[in-house]
């Protein structure tokens, strides 16, 4: 049995001007809505995993669904919100209208999130609990289909990977690029 976790492709949202925390919230909404770039090539290991999988699962966010379709346009995809990316908290104080690039806002808010700040979003504890359920769902698919691919998101894939490891699954990582990277887990008894 095998479970592969693949991170979605690069977002078409390229706006990188400095913005306020309130504007960042709108930027994230746009990021969730916009699709991904079609690449001229994709990592061979990633393409192979998607081509040979008996089932392909994605989150229900457009960037994950679109990424799966770019990797294999003819595969049947099952989308499920349980595999969505972990959210970022809102900036409740608006930090006195400080303006930062979206990538910096993401880092600052992710650090706060890891430090138990979860204003208007799922907490780290809740995300870990969701990862337990999501990893079990992938294991159930693996029991039925033998070879499963999840096209998902960076942080949530990482949480799922940790849960699979706790359940005895051993993983290998092919890191060809920031996007499209693939972690494959097998169960060894």
């Amino acid at each position: 049995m095998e479970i592969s976790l693949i991170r979605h492709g690069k977002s078409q949202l390229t706006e990188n001007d400095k913005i306020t925390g309130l504007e960042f919230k709108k930027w994230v909404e746009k990021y969730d809505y916009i699709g991904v770039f079609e690449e001229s090539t994709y990592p061979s290991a990633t393409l192979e995993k998607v081509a040979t999988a008996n089932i392909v699962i994605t989150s229900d966010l457009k960037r994950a669904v679109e990424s799966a379709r770019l990797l294999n346009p003819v595969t049947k995809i099952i989308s499920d919100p349980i595999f969505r990316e972990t959210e970022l908290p809102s900036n409740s104080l608006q930090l006195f209208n400080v303006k930062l690039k979206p990538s910096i806002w993401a880092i600052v808010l992710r650090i706060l999130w890891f430090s138990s700040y979860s204003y208007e979003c799922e907490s780290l504890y809740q995300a870990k609990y969701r990862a337990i359920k999501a990893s079990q769902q992938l294991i159930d698919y693996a029991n039925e289909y033998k070879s499963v691919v999840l096209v998902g998101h960076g942080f949530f894939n990482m949480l799922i990977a940790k849960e699979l490891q706790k359940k005895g699954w051993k993983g290998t990582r092919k890191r060809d690029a920031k996007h499209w990277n693939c972690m494959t887990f097998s169960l060894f008894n």
Side-chain angles (χ1 to χ4, degrees):
M1 290 188 297
E2 185 176 271
I3 299 171
S4 296
L5 308 177
I6 297 170
R7 185 175 188 263
H8 64 79
K10 184 178 179 185
S11 174
Q12 289 184 8
L13 182 59
T14 59
E15 296 170 10
N16 201 27
D17 295 334
K18 290 183 177 183
I19 54 178
T20 66
L22 184 59
E23 292 168 327
F24 179 71
K25 187 174 183 175
K26 292 175 186 167
W27 185 93
V28 169
E29 289 170 6
K30 198 186 254 188
Y31 180 77
D32 284 344
Y33 179 76
I34 279 187
V36 297
F37 283 108
E38 184 171 354
E39 306 288 344
S40 57
T41 62
Y42 299 94
S44 58
T46 300
L47 287 172
E48 181 185 335
K49 290 299 177 190
V50 174
T52 59
N54 292 324
I55 186 170
V56 176
I57 313 296
T58 69
S59 87
D60 63 339
L61 292 174
K62 186 174 183 176
R63 62 188 178 272
V65 174
E66 231 176 61
S67 294
R69 292 204 194 290
L70 287 170
L71 292 169
N72 188 341
V74 298
T75 194
K76 182 181 182 239
I77 297 169
I78 298 173
S79 296
D80 191 324
I82 195 170
F83 299 108
R84 278 182 165 226
E85 179 61 294
T86 56
E87 299 173 318
L88 290 169
S90 290
N91 175 3
S92 63
L93 300 176
Q94 296 305 318
L95 293 176
F96 310 107
N97 253 356
V98 169
K99 288 189 172 193
L100 302 170
K101 289 187 175 198
S103 58
I104 302 301
W105 273 119
I107 291 168
V108 167
L109 292 172
R110 185 62 70 200
I111 289 169
L112 289 171
W113 184 76
F114 275 115
S115 302
S116 299
Y117 177 75
S118 58
Y119 183 71
E120 294 184 347
C121 80
E122 170 183 58
S123 70
L124 176 59
Y125 174 80
Q126 291 166 324
K128 286 180 177 181
Y129 180 74
R130 183 166 56 95
I132 292 168
K133 290 173 36 179
S135 66
Q136 186 57 56
Q137 190 167 329
L138 290 173
I139 291 168
D140 292 345
Y141 280 130
N143 283 326
E144 183 175 350
Y145 295 99
K146 306 303 177 219
S147 176
V148 178
V149 165
L150 168 66
V151 180
H153 309 274
F155 278 100
F156 198 63
N157 280 3
M158 176 189 66
L159 293 177
I160 290 172
K162 287 182 180 184
E163 291 306 319
L164 289 172
Q165 290 169 337
K166 287 178 187 177
K167 294 175 181 179
W169 291 71
K170 304 292 180 215
T172 58
R173 181 179 208 151
K174 301 270 193 245
R175 188 155 181 105
D176 298 328
K178 178 180 177 187
H179 300 279
W180 310 108
N181 66 36
C182 181
M183 293 182 283
T184 300
F185 293 85
S186 300
L187 184 60
F188 296 104
N189 293 326

